[in-house]
Amino acid sequence: MPNQAGTLLGHDDPAPFEVLNENGKGHSLFVCDHASREIPKSLGTLGLPEEERKRHIGWDIGARKVTEILVERFDCRAVLGGFSRLVIDCNRQLWDPTGMPEIADQTVVPGNKNVSPSEHMQRIREIFLPYHWAIEEQIANFHAHKIAPALIAIHSFTPVFQGFERPWEIGVLWDQDDRIPVPLLETLRAQNPDLTIGDNEPYSGRHLADYTIDHHGEAAGLPCVSIEIRQDLIDTDAGCEKWAKILGDAFADILADPNLYKIRRD
């Protein structure tokens, strides 16, 4: 339930977003929608024990750390989501029922049952919108300096889904804009011939569920891509360092090309 002031977030809750390296000189903007597993104190634990909240249903394991490493390597900015995807998923269309799931990977989420329209709107108004406004603000800052930034989203995925063992270590998700994903796929495969690199696997970027990249990247004509890394590979700091280097090495020449940073209208 919301607190007595009629708001979802209290003074001792974290902010709905965090900006890293705001003065970074790089021309790319990294985003991490599912960086956090925090839940507003007014919602308690959403009725879930800690072991459930720590699972992939609550956040993208390892994604924040990988983002931090890449931000430092490329001296870029990043916007990180401040709350668990169980509260509201900032990478979903607002009409999507998985954006506030009553059941997440077979786990019932009691705190998401019987949410009133006004409580739903509070989550949108206080978490979802501020996060996306923060991304828009960073993009506007780039535009003010005559830069069309590259938008790169970092996610992670479960090793097993519905009994299927996923073979991919990294997935590259994209839709219409091929400026980053095509050379990235080629470079990842050339530099890492023993890896299984997913082209729109284990998820497809060609659907409306991938809201952040679709809304801020594709629709705006910015070069963009969404990256998925398998969670068992980045559930330790050492794993995050290893796979951030693999990914960063593949990104290096792509992000160094000044011709990348243009708005595409076609």
Side-chain angles (χ1 to χ4, degrees):
M1 296 293 292
N3 61 39
Q4 291 184 347
T7 60
L8 177 67
L9 302 183
H11 63 85
D12 52 352
D13 281 313
F17 64 88
E18 181 180 355
V19 178
L20 300 182
N21 196 30
E22 193 160 11
N23 296 316
K25 300 298 189 294
H27 291 179
S28 298
L29 176 64
F30 286 84
V31 293
C32 190
D33 302 314
H34 307 139
S36 174
R37 58 187 183 90
E38 291 283 344
I39 296 173
K41 290 179 173 56
S42 63
L43 298 180
T45 65
L46 290 175
L48 295 172
E50 184 178 7
E51 58 266 26
E52 289 288 346
R53 302 195 306 274
K54 291 170 66 175
R55 292 177 59 222
H56 69 278
I57 62 173
W59 62 330
D60 277 0
I61 296 167
R64 179 191 175 108
K65 182 68 174 178
V66 169
T67 303
E68 290 173 341
I69 296 167
L70 292 170
V71 162
E72 182 176 2
R73 174 169 178 168
F74 293 109
D75 191 22
C76 290
R77 309 173 203 177
V79 180
L80 311 179
F83 287 95
S84 171
R85 64 194 304 172
L86 292 171
V87 180
I88 187 165
D89 193 326
C90 288
N91 195 36
R92 294 292 182 271
Q93 298 281 346
L94 290 176
W95 46 258
D96 190 329
T98 66
M100 198 178 298
E102 295 186 8
I103 300 175
D105 192 16
Q106 302 181 333
T107 294
V108 174
V109 185
N112 284 348
K113 287 188 170 292
N114 302 315
V115 174
S116 72
S118 62
E119 290 167 344
H120 190 161
M121 281 304 303
Q122 280 185 317
R123 299 190 195 187
I124 294 171
R125 185 168 56 247
E126 298 187 40
I127 297 175
F128 183 96
L129 290 177
Y131 172 70
H132 286 287
W133 288 336
I135 295 173
E136 290 286 0
E137 182 177 7
Q138 291 303 318
I139 292 173
N141 287 339
F142 279 110
H143 286 320
H145 291 89
K146 311 298 183 185
I147 299 166
L151 185 64
I152 302 167
I154 303 296
H155 295 271
S156 66
F157 65 94
T158 57
V160 179
F161 182 69
Q162 295 182 349
F164 172 62
E165 293 190 11
R166 291 162 156 173
W168 309 280
E169 289 90 359
I170 297 179
V172 177
L173 280 57
W174 61 291
D175 188 5
Q176 300 297 315
D177 197 315
D178 61 358
R179 287 176 288 176
I180 297 177
V182 168
L184 182 62
L185 284 163
E186 292 174 351
T187 305
L188 278 169
R189 288 167 174 162
Q191 293 179 348
N192 308 278
D194 295 333
L195 297 185
T196 303
I197 310 297
D199 181 353
N200 274 319
E201 298 285 0
Y203 309 107
S204 175
R206 296 188 171 103
H207 56 69
L208 291 174
D210 195 11
Y211 177 82
T212 300
I213 287 294
D214 286 346
H215 179 71
H216 299 288
E218 288 276 1
L222 298 178
C224 56
V225 69
S226 186
I227 303 298
E228 293 273 358
I229 308 172
R230 209 173 67 209
Q231 288 172 354
D232 61 320
L233 303 174
I234 56 172
D235 58 0
T236 64
D237 285 351
C240 290
E241 292 279 357
K242 173 183 176 179
W243 290 92
K245 184 179 187 308
I246 289 172
L247 189 56
D249 287 350
F251 265 126
D253 288 344
I254 299 169
L255 299 187
D257 182 358
N259 293 317
L260 175 67
Y261 304 98
K262 298 176 180 177
I263 293 177
R264 175 179 286 181
R265 298 293 189 193
D266 53 27

